[in-house]
Amino acid sequence: MSVRRTKIVATLGPASNSPEMLEQLILAGLDVARLNFSHGTPDEHKARAKLVRDIAAKHGRFVALLGDLQGPKIRIAKFANKRIELKIGDRFTFSTSHPLTEGTQEVVGIDYPDLVKDCGVGDELLLDDGRVVMRVETATADALHCVVLIGGPLSDHKGINRRGGGLTAPALTEKDKADITLAAEMEVDYLAVSFPRDAADMEYARQLRDEAGGTAWLVAKIERAEAVADDETLDALIKASDAVMVARGDLGVEIGDAELVGIQKKIILHARRHNKAVIVATQMMESMIQNPMPTRAEVSDVANAVLDYTDAVMLSAESAAGAYPLEAVQAMARICVGAEKHPTSKTSSHRIGKTFESCDQSIALAAMYTANHFPGVKAIIALTESGYTPLIMSRIRSSVPIYAFSPHRETQARAAMFRGVYTVPFDPASLPPEQVSQAAIDELLKRGVVEKGDWVILTKGDSYHTIGGTNGMKILHVGDKMV
Ligand code: G6P
């Protein structure tokens, strides 16, 4: 069977919390476990994280933990009778002065006062991910009076978006700030920031992460219309992050479903060009919440993201709350492998016309050029401190596996998210220099990845523990005496 290159992120929740189910998910190919900080207590998250790490270690697997901050999702308050039913043409009001638990058929409270300032007459508001749509008819200091354009049920705490974006809530709430500290304590490998508007939001998150003593790589969830309004904003946001997520739920609501696929392709392309990892998320296997097999449309959606060369595809409710979490991971793994056979995911345009920015980047890219054009190359070994060298390598399309050789836990876990990158624990500093190449090859021989007569590329630096220090590449012939 071919080795899958695209990585799988699965959200943990009631459907996947038991040690037995978690173990099955990890064995089925889970690479990154997403902990949703919108639900659950700190103790629950810590227990779940420990379980993931313990089970992964038991099987010699590397599974990264991704903590996902709740962010400033704007929600309506509650109804006196939990839910109402709205019809086209109904009048409905959002009020910042209405009691928060007393919503009626005509009005509901909201505890985000700026909604009234941010919206004006003629704006469209989308509720519950766009299932109900209204247009603002009149606005006062404390209320928006609307007419219903698309009716349906509306219940407690459903989210509100404005078509076209533009709600001004800052990305990090007080809860998020507390969760950044929690994430640092838990040593999560990735931390996802919800609803960042621009690079400044990510820089602020980075500052808070540093103050909390965290080392997690920051993932910008791209889910606001203003984040993708122009290339300049998008690129600045990507550059201010370590990875990005195409968060299609809110993004699709704000920019409209017709724009979504094109924007997804653009975000993946730009993230890769800026040397960042990228995840495609939301509703990838939605029907598998209730069914043991995906629809053809879902198969096609996952495959499309794989062909776009995403690093990872993600499961949300399918693995957190669905009836078939294991089947969902298995289906995703199968579809990834199938789509990866398609030639577009093996060839690279090699950044023609681009200049390289540093020595280590140049070596990483030279290694990929060689791997893709020298037929006997079966594997690439990147000795890495932080994971940067294999990250850069995996920005280039290839069918040659990239092995991140590192002695550090954080790096081993982090690399689990990079497409085509696999981890091998290895400390070159513990060996005499003349034995490093052979010892590295031995690790691949042990795993059955290479055999006598194969070629392997190895990259490293002059010193054995310097981030950014990679300055050399060797082409090694398996079976020959190495120095
Ligand atoms: C390992 C190697 C070093 C190299 C470094 C690069 O530590 O032993 O020789 O300089 O990786 O690490 P990086 O984090 O830049 O991929």
Side-chain angles (χ1 to χ4, degrees):
M1 209 192 96
S2 356
V3 179
R4 173 172 48 83
R5 295 181 75 88
T6 314
K7 302 306 178 73
I8 295 177
V9 184
T11 307
L12 302 187
S16 42
N17 275 342
S18 73
E20 297 75 27
M21 178 53 79
L22 215 43
E23 184 160 37
Q24 285 184 291
L25 296 186
I26 289 173
L27 292 175
L30 175 67
D31 297 296
V32 181
R34 171 172 174 254
L35 306 172
N36 188 348
F37 287 147
S38 301
H39 307 288
T41 64
D43 284 344
E44 282 164 5
H45 292 306
K46 284 183 186 163
R48 214 175 267 171
K50 180 169 183 323
L51 208 53
V52 171
R53 288 193 168 138
D54 287 351
I55 297 172
K58 177 176 143 197
H59 292 285
R61 290 280 314 280
F62 300 90
V63 175
L65 290 177
L66 182 150
D68 197 335
L69 299 173
Q70 179 172 20
K73 177 94 182 166
I74 297 166
R75 294 176 186 278
I76 57 171
K78 289 168 95 170
F79 291 95
N81 296 322
K82 287 205 161 49
R83 85 191 234 145
I84 60 165
E85 191 74 34
L86 290 165
K87 291 192 300 300
I88 297 178
D90 283 357
R91 306 277 147 175
F92 193 79
T93 297
F94 300 97
S95 164
T96 54
S97 55
H98 192 78
L100 293 177
T101 53
E102 299 295 322
T104 68
Q105 185 66 36
E106 288 82 34
V107 57
V108 72
I110 185 144
D111 57 8
Y112 174 61
D114 285 346
L115 182 73
V116 183
K117 282 195 230 144
D118 291 347
C119 297
V121 172
D123 282 354
E124 278 184 23
L125 298 178
L126 300 106
L127 292 119
D128 191 11
D129 289 342
R131 288 182 185 85
V132 172
V133 181
M134 307 193 191
R135 189 179 58 229
V136 180
E137 297 284 275
T138 53
T140 62
D142 64 352
L144 297 172
H145 303 284
C146 306
V147 60
V148 175
L149 303 182
I150 298 179
L154 194 58
S155 51
D156 293 351
H157 295 311
K158 288 297 180 210
I160 303 188
N161 296 82
R162 175 174 178 259
R163 172 115 46 215
L167 298 183
T168 53
L172 294 162
T173 64
E174 290 309 311
K175 173 172 168 39
D176 294 334
K177 290 176 190 168
D179 285 340
I180 290 176
T181 306
L182 171 66
E185 268 172 49
M186 291 168 59
E187 297 181 16
V188 303
D189 306 297
Y190 289 94
L191 186 61
V193 178
S194 296
F195 300 99
R197 292 162 296 190
D198 51 23
D201 278 340
M202 294 309 293
E203 280 150 19
Y204 184 43
R206 194 172 295 279
Q207 182 196 327
L208 294 175
R209 179 208 65 182
D210 290 347
E211 283 165 14
T215 55
W217 277 21
L218 296 184
V219 183
K221 290 168 72 179
I222 310 223
E223 52 189 336
R224 275 181 145 161
E226 50 268 54
V228 296
D230 54 72
D231 283 4
E232 212 181 311
T233 313
L234 175 64
D235 288 347
L237 184 53
I238 291 172
K239 279 198 221 161
S241 317
D242 302 303
V244 300
M245 184 193 292
V246 189
R248 304 186 304 182
D250 284 281
L251 185 60
V253 171
E254 292 206 356
I255 65 173
D257 52 8
E259 287 291 321
L260 194 57
V261 175
I263 290 286
Q264 169 177 319
K265 286 177 191 288
K266 180 192 257 193
I267 296 170
I268 295 173
L269 184 70
H270 285 226
R272 298 183 61 78
R273 275 194 196 147
H274 290 298
N275 299 323
K276 312 293 177 175
V278 51
I279 308 166
V280 174
T282 321
Q283 291 186 346
M284 298 210 91
M285 293 279 180
E286 188 78 356
S287 76
M288 290 193 78
I289 296 171
Q290 285 109 17
N291 298 307
M293 68 179 272
T295 66
R296 295 292 181 265
E298 288 160 353
V299 169
S300 182
D301 183 41
V302 172
N304 177 52
V306 172
L307 295 176
D308 288 344
Y309 223 78
T310 188
D311 284 273
V313 283
M314 187 172 117
L315 295 168
S316 308
E318 301 93 331
S319 55
Y324 300 98
L326 176 60
E327 288 79 357
V329 171
Q330 287 169 335
M332 231 175 198
R334 180 174 78 229
I335 296 159
C336 288
V337 171
E340 286 164 11
K341 289 186 191 141
H342 194 279
T344 60
S345 49
K346 292 184 185 169
T347 50
S348 163
S349 55
H350 296 293
R351 303 187 173 203
I352 288 163
K354 291 271 173 308
T355 46
F356 300 160
E357 291 156 4
S358 58
C359 296
D360 58 335
Q361 218 181 72
S362 305
I363 295 291
L365 296 169
M368 297 314 293
Y369 194 79
T370 308
N372 282 350
H373 291 266
F374 187 38
V377 176
K378 290 290 155 50
I380 300 161
I381 296 172
L383 302 192
T384 184
E385 199 68 11
S386 67
Y388 182 74
T389 307
L391 170 71
I392 297 300
M393 289 174 172
S394 73
R395 298 311 85 196
I396 297 293
R397 293 178 184 230
S398 178
S399 60
V400 180
I402 300 159
Y403 290 88
F405 275 50
S406 180
H408 308 298
R409 188 207 65 75
E410 299 92 317
T411 305
Q412 292 161 356
R414 196 178 278 155
M417 189 147 92
F418 309 155
R419 180 147 170 170
V421 176
Y422 313 93
T423 296
V424 174
F426 188 81
D427 185 6
S430 67
L431 297 163
E434 68 281 5
Q435 286 178 24
V436 169
S437 297
Q438 187 59 57
I441 297 282
D442 287 346
E443 292 290 338
L444 296 188
L445 282 166
K446 215 163 64 186
R447 288 167 173 75
V449 175
V450 296
E451 55 188 26
K452 197 167 179 299
D454 288 341
W455 294 96
V456 172
I457 296 173
L458 183 145
T459 66
K460 61 176 182 166
D462 288 338
S463 103
Y464 277 124
H465 287 299
T466 313
I467 294 180
T470 296
N471 64 1
M473 159 179 143
K474 284 183 156 194
I475 305 180
L476 304 168
H477 199 215
V478 180
D480 287 4
K481 188 173 156 40
M482 282 169 205
V483 285

